[in-house]
Amino acid sequence: DADVTQTPRNRITKTGKRIMLECSQTKGHDRMYWYRQDPGLGLRLIYYSFDVKDINKGEISDGYSVSRQAQAKFSLSLESAIPNQTALYFCATSDWTAGSQETQYFGPGTRLLVL
Amino acid sequence: AQTVTQSQPEMSVQEAETVTLSCTYDTSESDYYLFWYKQPPSRQMILVIRQEAYKQQNATENRFSVNFQKAAKSFSLKISDSQLGDAAMYFCAYSLDFNTGNQFYFGTGTSLTVIP
């Protein structure tokens, strides 16, 4: 089974609709992240969470919100989707411990199309 | 602000040959980590190799190695004996030391084609 899963894998929605992307992990990591990937722009950080009670805005948080329901679950919401939110969305987790090399583990991605 | 620059949007290499992907970054920090991630057509992001800034020795992982030049803020990836399965988008990434908060910053990616 995959360590980091994302649902749905593909989604088409209309402008103005609310949509939620879900991420679950079985790695036991405290830190979770949401990125979006656009051609020519690489990955950009939307939100990140260092534990259940700690949620922080990333580089491009406008138009998005998140919920950390549990250590294993981190959801990304688009309250009112707009076409320029069409992108590939990645969830990631990381295994931070003091003195360690932090590495991020990515989910398979969710391809979102907003019409 | 931290930035990561990959100046080669596309690269190609003949199978079994060697290719080097470039990455430069900008930071005022002294402790940080650098990574190369691979994204094949499956869209999954796969860690290829990582390097701690305080280590002078270049990281090596089988056919993958890096040339880390801290003073020049350069972190290139060398792929030796290229294989068809190496074809993918490659992202360079930077992460701060955990004491200063840990966010990842990614470059825009280099698309690698392997020619049979």
Side-chain angles (χ1 to χ4, degrees):
Chain A
D1 288 340
D3 296 318
V4 184
T5 57
Q6 292 181 233
T7 56
R9 294 294 308 277
N10 295 280
R11 180 72 182 266
I12 301 174
T13 192
K14 294 182 179 180
T15 297
K17 293 292 186 180
R18 183 179 187 276
I19 184 170
M20 179 182 288
L21 309 183
E22 298 186 347
C23 176
S24 295
Q25 53 116 345
T26 59
K27 299 187 77 66
H29 293 166
D30 286 327
R31 298 186 172 194
M32 298 186 73
Y33 307 76
W34 274 105
Y35 294 90
R36 65 177 279 175
Q37 182 182 15
D38 299 276
L41 294 177
L43 281 82
R44 294 181 292 166
L45 182 64
I46 306 172
Y47 270 95
Y48 61 102
S49 170
F50 284 173
D51 64 42
V52 175
K53 297 180 181 179
D54 180 16
I55 293 178
N56 305 280
K57 292 182 177 180
E59 179 185 356
I60 53 163
S61 59
D62 288 348
Y64 301 94
S65 62
V66 291
S67 174
R68 186 79 184 269
Q69 301 95 323
Q71 185 201 41
K73 295 184 181 296
F74 192 37
S75 301
L76 176 72
S77 293
L78 288 68
E79 296 300 326
S80 180
I82 56 177
N84 76 0
Q85 291 178 313
T86 293
L88 184 56
Y89 289 84
F90 282 98
C91 174
T93 72
S94 66
D95 55 345
W96 175 86
T97 56
S100 74
Q101 301 178 53
E102 178 164 339
T103 299
Q104 297 208 336
Y105 299 87
F106 287 82
T110 294
R111 189 173 296 281
L112 176 66
L113 173 61
V114 183
L115 300 175
Chain B
Q2 283 68 230
T3 59
V4 179
T5 302
Q6 293 178 249
S7 59
Q8 306 154 315
E10 298 178 345
M11 291 281 286
S12 61
V13 62
Q14 205 76 30
E15 192 176 5
E17 297 295 311
T18 296
V19 65
T20 299
L21 309 184
S22 301
C23 174
T24 59
Y25 57 94
D26 184 25
T27 183
S28 57
E29 304 291 336
S30 58
D31 291 325
Y32 51 87
Y33 305 112
L34 296 163
F35 304 81
W36 277 97
Y37 282 89
K38 170 185 177 181
Q39 186 182 41
S42 66
R43 305 186 307 192
Q44 193 91 15
M45 292 285 283
I46 303 166
L47 176 67
V48 175
I49 199 166
R50 60 190 174 200
Q51 172 88 40
E52 301 100 314
Y54 65 85
K55 287 188 177 180
Q56 291 185 334
Q57 185 174 5
N58 290 323
T60 299
E61 196 72 41
N62 299 316
R63 297 182 296 106
F64 299 88
S65 61
V66 299
N67 183 8
F68 174 47
Q69 302 290 329
K70 190 172 184 179
K73 298 180 182 177
S74 171
F75 183 61
S76 60
L77 174 70
K78 185 172 81 171
I79 306 174
S80 304
D81 186 24
S82 298
Q83 301 175 359
L84 295 178
D86 295 334
M89 182 74 81
Y90 286 81
F91 291 95
C92 178
Y94 162 99
S95 173
L96 286 169
D97 178 75
F98 68 89
N99 282 322
T100 53
N102 222 325
Q103 296 187 43
F104 274 64
Y105 299 89
F106 288 85
T108 53
T110 296
S111 178
L112 178 66
T113 300
V114 180
I115 303 167

